[in-house]
Amino acid sequence: MKNKLRKKFTQLRAKKYLELNSKQIQTIYSSLLRIIKQHKIKVIGSYQPIHTELNIKPVLELLKKKCVIALPRVLNKNNMEFRAWNEYDPLYVSKFGILEPSAKNKKLVPQLFLAPLLAFDLNFNRLGYGRGYYDKYLSKNKNFLTYGIAFSFQQAKIIPVHKNDVVLKGIITEEGSVIS
């Protein structure tokens, strides 16, 4: 079931992908700013967009004035860590073809995670690519504050859930937040 959903939403995202306009960037930024203020967030863990994931870079440019931004580095056996990043730091291509910060950058544990996804449902279940990096990292502490970042058209009726899947706190889209 998950593989069928992955295929469907990968194709849908490829057809409907769009760059965020200034209003949509501001909408996502405002949603995140409320969360940052409410929870006194100092460090945000984000992602470098690949393929047709929502390009959050313009939002990160605004957020860096409020918080430290950290990006993931993939380690072995589906493990990852987060390293500090700013727009002047070079990014390096990992063995998976994903841009990552240097291993020399400061290792951080973000208070707020912005997770990419292929699809989500209104129960805040997330469908990823199936390798389990985010779920494995987030399962180490169920109290992590994690929001999915997606286009509104990525909403599915229901995402099948397995025991290792981590439920998100909410979803933030270009149209606004769906917050639990």
Side-chain angles (χ1 to χ4, degrees):
M1 175 86 170
K2 279 191 173 187
N3 286 335
K4 284 183 181 180
L5 280 174
R6 281 187 185 97
K7 184 176 180 179
K8 173 186 174 182
F9 280 96
T10 298
Q11 291 172 346
L12 180 64
R13 200 169 65 185
K15 288 179 188 175
K16 290 191 162 194
Y17 178 82
L18 56 100
E19 284 292 327
L20 298 174
N21 63 39
S22 59
K23 182 179 178 187
Q24 293 166 328
I25 291 167
Q26 193 60 46
T27 297
I28 294 170
Y29 174 70
S30 296
S31 295
L32 288 168
L33 203 54
R34 282 192 303 276
I35 295 164
I36 289 165
K37 288 179 180 178
Q38 179 183 356
H39 296 280
K40 297 178 175 72
I41 302 297
K42 303 276 189 244
V43 180
I44 297 174
S46 187
Y47 63 92
Q48 274 294 108
I50 59 171
H51 310 301
T52 55
E53 289 174 342
L54 188 145
N55 183 357
I56 195 165
K57 290 178 194 176
V59 178
L60 295 179
E61 289 294 315
L62 297 171
L63 289 173
K64 71 178 182 175
K65 298 171 186 165
K66 305 286 183 189
C67 302
V68 174
I69 305 297
L71 297 178
R73 284 185 45 82
V74 175
L75 306 172
N76 55 7
K77 297 183 181 173
N78 295 13
N79 289 308
M80 65 181 185
E81 64 184 10
F82 283 79
R83 297 284 179 156
W85 174 81
N86 71 56
E87 75 276 16
Y88 303 111
D89 290 338
L91 294 171
Y92 301 91
V93 180
S94 74
K95 63 183 175 182
F96 300 107
I98 298 170
L99 294 174
E100 299 180 336
S102 170
K104 295 177 183 177
N105 291 21
K106 184 177 181 180
K107 187 176 178 179
L108 299 170
V109 176
Q111 299 161 290
L112 170 63
F113 289 90
L114 307 180
L117 50 86
L118 283 169
F120 65 92
D121 65 22
L122 291 179
N123 293 317
F124 307 121
N125 295 306
R126 169 188 173 272
L127 180 68
Y129 290 108
R131 291 197 173 145
Y133 291 104
Y134 278 88
D135 288 321
K136 189 170 184 179
Y137 188 87
L138 297 170
S139 68
K140 294 175 185 174
N141 185 339
K142 299 285 186 187
N143 295 323
F144 282 150
L145 193 58
T146 306
Y147 285 78
I149 303 292
F151 295 107
S152 55
F153 63 77
Q154 291 175 259
Q155 182 178 332
K157 288 183 182 177
I158 189 161
I159 301 291
V161 179
H162 294 96
K163 67 178 182 173
N164 296 328
D165 293 341
V166 175
V167 177
L168 303 170
K169 178 69 173 168
I171 306 293
I172 298 172
T173 73
E174 82 285 6
E175 293 180 357
S177 299
V178 181
I179 300 175
S180 62

